[in-house]
Amino acid sequence: MKPPREIVQTILQEFRGSLYRIYRSIFRGSYPATLRQQLGVVVNNLVLHVHPTRVYRRSIRPAGTLGLGLICFYLFVIEWITGVYLMFYYEPSVSAAYGRIQDLDSVVTFGRVVRNVHRWGAEAMVVFVFLHMCRVFYTGAYKPPREFNWVLGVILLLLTLALSFTGYLLPWDQLSFWAVTVGTNIASYAPVLGPKFRFLLLGGDTVGSEALLRFYTLHVIAVPTVAALLINYHIWRVIKDGGLARPPQQEPQSADGVVPTFPLVVYMELLVFVVLTVGLLVVSLLFNAPLEEEANPLQPSNPSKAPWYFLGLQELVSYSAFWGGVMVPTVLTLFLLVLPYIDRGPDGVGEWFARKRLGMIILWSLLLIGIVVTILIGVYFRGPNWNFYWPWNAWPGPD
Ligand code: HEM
């Protein structure tokens, strides 16, 4: 009979051996120490192989991209994971939806925090996709050969808005019901096709059970599937278009200008993920996602406001339905789609706020100010009957 100490040692050795065998079955080599092994990590790993094996030192400076594209990608993944959790409990029917959301908020394990992460993550995704687009614009990174990737980005921006908007209805409370009613009304101002599009989206003339089912299907499967495919394509194109945009004079002349992607870049990306997740968790523990009274189609909330990112359009619609509902969104979308094909000169590529692009930079900034100001007016300065009011003169709340 062996002494107990030896028995424990044998068990520990066996345990370590098993762990090592499991490790080797997943990762086919030991920790990559040499340059050759480090390049191999990227080539041989399913997730990492979207990276090039080496990157320009300049491309990984945080000030270059501010990590915004990566953050958009992570937010999409977080939305996907938390969304699946919520799907276990949610039921897309008018009679059950609101109660299920209340259950998530009160009785389901981790229900409230997961719902909060999903909600604030969705809001953050709209903001970060927009910021990422501004970063790409201000660094002239949409110019050849990246024109088509910009177009893919514009489609992704529209899909992000669609994802958020279709999710808005699902809690089936007064806020979501009237926001979607107003939002889909804006769409219906387009001549001929507008009312047809609204009817198709809602499955009828008003927001009801058909609309809830359609929004649910769009939200949980149709839009995310298309978005996931396009995000993959978009990121793959970044590499195929020659990596991140950089000024031609800054092409590295020697191997000193490049570093292997593993481990530095991979660890930097992991750090962004951890910081983002922790940040989102903290916000979700401090602030609850809104949930008002159950939707009541007979009692409009006053004011009825669209989701905040459409409030700029709602503000314009209050002056002219044609301009706010048709002209401005159409012209803006067309402008974004054709921009890289008309502004093609090599000036200022990969450079923040290049002087040579001053005209375009002023134009974009004015546009940005217009969008932000109209949204702020809609959010903070519009009260009952869409009249102006000062945010500090709090109105009594929805009737
Ligand atoms: C779900 C939305 C999006 C995701 C996940 C995403 C992801 C990314 C990532 C990871 C990169 C690599 C560099 C970086 O971090 O900036 C990138 C680059 C790029 N993105 Fe996006 N993006 C999205 C939306 C957009 C939008 C709305 C636009 C513009 C309308 C856009 C245009 C571009 C372009 C042109 C590049 C190349 C930039 C360069 O070479 O410097 N993307 N995107």
Side-chain angles (χ1 to χ4, degrees):
M1 171 86 182
K2 287 184 184 173
R5 200 188 146 98
E6 244 176 72
I7 297 178
V8 171
Q9 268 175 352
T10 320
I11 293 175
L12 278 179
Q13 247 170 12
E14 272 303 309
F15 182 64
R16 251 187 256 131
S18 310
L19 279 186
Y20 185 66
R21 276 193 293 280
I22 293 172
Y23 174 88
R24 286 299 297 265
S25 72
I26 303 170
F27 305 102
R28 298 228 161 261
S30 49
Y31 186 84
T34 65
L35 176 65
R36 198 184 160 80
Q37 286 167 339
Q38 286 170 348
L39 301 183
V41 171
V42 177
V43 177
N44 296 325
N45 184 291
L46 175 71
V47 179
L48 295 182
H49 89 276
V50 292
H51 295 80
T53 52
R54 303 167 204 246
V55 289
Y56 294 113
R57 242 176 233 287
R58 186 179 188 282
S59 308
I60 54 173
R61 281 182 324 159
T65 63
L66 306 175
L68 292 169
L70 193 63
I71 293 176
C72 298
F73 170 70
Y74 286 151
L75 283 170
F76 183 74
V77 174
I78 292 173
E79 288 305 284
W80 194 303
I81 295 169
T82 48
V84 169
Y85 190 81
L86 297 179
M87 276 179 76
F88 285 124
Y89 302 99
Y90 183 76
E91 194 185 315
S93 76
V94 168
S95 55
Y98 183 72
R100 291 302 178 107
I101 298 288
Q102 280 181 319
D103 286 352
L104 274 162
D105 273 354
S106 51
V107 289
V108 173
T109 315
F110 299 127
R112 186 188 281 269
V113 74
V114 175
R115 176 171 173 247
N116 290 350
V117 170
H118 194 73
R119 175 60 182 245
W120 302 134
E123 308 276 2
M125 193 166 160
V126 173
V127 174
F128 277 101
V129 169
F130 192 74
L131 289 178
H132 170 58
M133 177 170 71
C134 291
R135 179 307 268 176
V136 172
F137 180 87
Y138 283 126
T139 54
Y142 55 83
K143 297 186 173 199
R146 297 177 181 81
E147 310 98 304
F148 186 63
N149 217 12
W150 167 274
V151 173
L152 288 177
V154 175
I155 300 172
L156 281 173
L157 172 71
L158 298 178
L159 288 175
T160 305
L161 292 176
L163 268 177
S164 180
F165 185 61
T166 50
Y168 223 87
L169 184 63
L170 306 188
W172 201 251
D173 64 342
Q174 278 288 75
L175 181 73
S176 64
F177 182 90
W178 292 104
V180 167
T181 303
V182 173
T184 49
N185 277 345
I186 295 177
S188 70
Y189 292 126
V192 190
L193 286 183
K196 289 195 181 351
F197 174 69
R198 183 174 192 270
F199 190 89
L200 190 71
L201 194 62
L202 298 184
D205 286 318
T206 52
V207 178
S209 56
E210 290 301 319
L212 184 58
L213 193 57
R214 285 181 190 206
F215 271 55
Y216 176 74
T217 312
L218 286 170
H219 185 72
V220 302
I221 187 81
V223 187
T225 308
V226 180
L229 291 172
L230 278 192
I231 288 174
N232 272 298
Y233 187 27
H234 181 65
I235 294 176
W236 179 78
R237 280 294 301 232
V238 173
I239 298 158
K240 295 295 161 190
D241 290 340
L244 293 178
R246 57 201 170 274
Q249 69 274 18
Q250 291 198 14
E251 289 291 344
Q253 301 300 317
S254 69
D256 291 346
V258 289
V259 283
T261 302
F262 186 87
L264 181 64
V265 181
V266 175
Y267 287 166
M268 279 170 72
E269 290 179 352
L270 272 179
L271 181 70
V272 175
F273 181 71
V274 172
V275 172
L276 179 73
T277 312
V278 171
L280 205 51
L281 257 178
V282 171
V283 171
S284 303
L285 289 170
L286 292 177
F287 303 100
N288 284 328
L291 186 67
E292 292 187 356
E293 301 282 293
E294 187 167 8
N296 181 352
L298 301 176
Q299 193 188 23
S301 56
N302 188 8
S304 288
K305 293 190 179 184
W308 62 267
Y309 39 84
F310 288 147
L311 278 185
L313 290 183
Q314 192 177 352
E315 177 62 20
L316 296 182
V317 164
S318 71
Y319 300 106
S320 155
F322 178 70
W323 278 94
V326 185
M327 280 310 278
V328 172
T330 311
V331 169
L332 266 184
T333 313
L334 287 179
F335 167 71
L336 287 177
L337 288 173
V338 301
L339 171 71
Y341 297 100
I342 47 177
D343 180 27
R344 301 175 50 81
D347 289 339
V349 173
E351 206 185 314
W352 279 94
F353 307 111
R355 269 175 174 273
K356 288 184 177 164
R357 297 182 57 234
L358 194 63
M360 287 307 278
I361 288 173
I362 291 177
L363 179 73
W364 185 271
S365 305
L366 288 176
L367 208 67
L368 207 66
I369 293 171
I371 292 173
V372 173
V373 168
T374 45
I375 289 181
L376 287 180
I377 292 177
V379 174
Y380 294 110
F381 296 92
R382 289 296 192 174
N385 307 320
W386 207 250
N387 288 330
F388 270 112
Y389 81 107
W390 296 110
W392 49 89
N393 292 341
W395 42 278
D399 299 337

